[in-house]
Amino acid sequence: MDLKRLINGSFEHAEEVKEFFKNKDVNDRLDDGDIEGYELLLRKPDGEVQSISPISAVLFSADLPVYRNIVRDDLENRRNQILNTEEFPGNLAAYDRLLNLVKHKATVIPFVGAGFSVASGCPSWSEYIEQEALNAGLKTDIAERLKVGDHENLMDEVVVALGIDLFTRDFRSNFEGGRITPALSPSSELAGLFNECYITTNFDRVLDHCHHESMPFDEKVVGKDDTGRFLKAIYRNEKYLLKLHGNIDEPRDRVLTKNEYDKGYGEGKVDYSFPIPRTLQRIFGSFTVLFVGCSLISDRYLDVLKETYSFAPALIPDHFAIVVAPDDEAERLLRDRHLASHGITPIWFANGDWDKPEEILKLLKLES
């Protein structure tokens, strides 16, 4: 049966036709029998019974209320499964708040961390630092230092021990080249959902490549840029990428070692006369930020966020994070309190459930 001819012939309004084809995943599963309990039968005058297919198109054309009930029930089941509401009951309310912003075209700025490059073939940032620390011959308890968020000092020791040239060469070998497949990154699901400005701390180019074919960035700027171009782009609804900590091979704009962090954020405490914290303060205080692929344990951009939130918590827009939950409930409570102190509402997923961030983004796309 020609679905398009059936659907287009049954409804005069394009929105009704669009509704059917938007539900392609549900339609396919309904037609394949994966949604149990539904079968359409034609009983002929001679008593012969014949199945009618495709079920989805026939139901949509003949009994739209029933069709919509099936779609609604299926969506509710998918929400509960994807958001894992049995283990994380608070996920649903957090997700609905984020969905409401997306539906109403509010400005939501994705903040993309290294975790979103792992599926493309890049090592995780913590794994990479640990391996480089071992290569550098460091004997300290590397894993424990990473667990408590001592990335900055550990990275400084690694770069000093290896030298920046060797570190940069090794970085390119691990984060660039033919074995990296950007299309496998969940970042590809951000395109089409958030079509304006993005922020990333990543030195790799996975996010840029994910958007290059369909919706390329109009411009890429670094965090130390002092022109205010990124903020202007947000207000103008232009699509800019803010490489917050610069690029690995550009020492002038890079923020990697402790010395570079001090030059980017201030020494001892955050210095808001510097471009990076000044820009972040404006962003965090004015627009919703969605953190994805970020551990959110320790980084100086979190210091800016915490200070911005503490100054006027009632006036700060909602911020969200799709973030892995600690296995231990007591530890999860501590993490939740940590996030709350920064004005971040988590949408949790279980450790090891690495497909969940992509599924949550797909669900947002479907419902928005």
Side-chain angles (χ1 to χ4, degrees):
M1 183 181 293
D2 188 332
L3 293 184
K4 287 189 176 181
R5 181 176 298 176
L6 172 63
I7 299 301
N8 288 330
S10 300
F11 294 93
E12 297 178 358
H13 301 294
E15 285 303 312
E16 291 175 321
V17 175
K18 184 178 177 181
E19 175 186 346
F20 176 80
F21 290 105
K22 180 182 178 181
N23 298 324
K24 183 179 184 305
D25 178 69
V26 182
N27 296 338
D28 290 344
R29 288 185 290 110
L30 183 60
D31 296 339
D32 292 340
D34 294 334
I35 300 178
E36 297 181 359
Y38 294 95
E39 184 179 12
L40 291 181
L41 301 174
L42 173 65
R43 187 178 301 277
K44 296 182 178 180
D46 61 5
E48 181 185 353
V49 176
Q50 180 180 341
S51 293
I52 303 175
S53 63
I55 297 176
S56 61
V58 175
L59 270 180
F60 187 84
S61 303
D63 199 335
L64 189 55
V66 169
Y67 174 86
R68 285 175 171 164
N69 284 338
I70 294 172
V71 171
R72 183 198 62 213
D73 292 345
D74 182 75
L75 180 58
E76 184 177 348
N77 290 335
R78 290 180 67 190
R79 278 170 143 243
N80 290 331
Q81 182 268 321
I82 291 172
L83 297 173
N84 196 357
T85 54
E86 185 173 343
E87 186 173 356
F88 309 115
N91 272 2
L92 189 58
Y95 170 84
D96 280 339
R97 283 165 54 200
L98 177 58
L99 175 63
N100 185 60
L101 292 170
V102 175
K103 279 184 172 181
H104 288 86
K105 310 299 181 186
T107 298
V108 177
I109 301 175
F111 192 118
V112 183
F116 259 36
S117 296
V118 173
S120 68
C122 296
S124 76
W125 192 237
S126 292
E127 288 173 352
Y128 183 69
I129 296 175
E130 184 172 6
Q131 184 58 54
E132 289 296 280
L134 293 172
N135 293 341
L138 300 182
K139 303 299 184 182
T140 55
D141 191 348
I142 300 167
E144 184 60 31
R145 291 179 67 184
L146 290 171
K147 184 178 179 181
V148 298
D150 195 23
H151 295 66
E152 188 179 310
N153 289 317
L154 183 57
M155 178 58 71
D156 204 47
E157 294 169 27
V158 168
V159 173
V160 169
L162 293 177
I164 190 62
D165 292 332
L166 177 55
F167 180 85
T168 301
R169 187 197 70 187
D170 287 351
F171 177 89
R172 287 174 173 163
S173 298
N174 283 274
F175 289 87
E176 299 176 3
R179 69 183 188 82
I180 306 300
T181 310
L184 297 178
S185 166
S187 295
S188 59
E189 292 300 330
L190 293 167
L193 184 58
F194 306 105
N195 297 323
E196 294 163 0
C197 289
Y198 285 62
I199 303 172
T200 186
T201 51
N202 297 348
F203 292 121
D204 64 65
R205 292 174 170 82
V206 170
L207 176 62
D208 191 14
H209 286 309
C210 283
H211 289 250
H212 182 70
E213 293 297 328
S214 57
M215 298 177 179
F217 293 103
D218 299 324
E219 192 72 55
K220 294 181 279 291
V221 296
V222 295
K224 289 185 178 180
D225 179 88
D226 202 17
T227 65
R229 287 187 296 160
F230 186 75
L231 287 169
K232 292 174 185 175
I234 298 175
Y235 288 109
R236 293 171 180 168
N237 294 322
E238 295 172 333
K239 189 173 182 181
Y240 273 46
L241 174 61
L242 176 60
K243 298 273 288 186
L244 191 66
H245 292 163
N247 297 295
I248 194 73
D249 52 358
E250 296 176 1
R252 185 184 67 177
D253 299 317
R254 185 182 59 216
V255 178
L256 175 65
T257 66
K258 186 178 186 305
N259 181 53
E260 290 168 348
Y261 265 95
D262 287 344
K263 289 180 178 179
Y265 287 87
E267 189 172 357
K269 64 177 182 178
V270 177
D271 187 337
Y272 290 98
S273 69
F274 290 5
I276 293 178
R278 187 171 66 244
T279 299
L280 286 176
Q281 185 183 47
R282 289 281 302 278
I283 292 169
F284 291 146
S286 304
F287 308 103
T288 290
V289 174
L290 171 63
F291 295 92
V292 291
C294 303
S295 65
L296 299 176
I297 294 174
S298 176
D299 203 301
R300 292 209 206 180
Y301 68 79
L302 288 173
D303 296 339
V304 178
L305 176 55
K306 187 172 185 178
E307 289 184 9
T308 304
Y309 176 73
S310 299
F311 181 72
L315 302 178
I316 298 300
D318 289 335
H319 300 306
F320 300 89
I322 301 174
V323 63
V324 62
D327 295 329
D328 181 73
E329 287 192 20
E331 188 178 346
R332 189 191 308 167
L333 177 59
L334 289 175
R335 287 282 288 129
D336 205 3
R337 289 174 60 184
H338 168 76
L339 294 173
S341 71
H342 292 72
I344 300 172
T345 300
I347 299 174
W348 300 108
F349 65 92
N351 187 20
D353 238 347
W354 305 117
D355 291 335
K356 275 293 187 283
E358 183 174 5
E359 292 177 8
I360 291 170
L361 292 175
K362 286 182 177 179
L363 187 64
L364 275 172
K365 266 187 181 177
L366 177 66
E367 293 200 78
S368 61

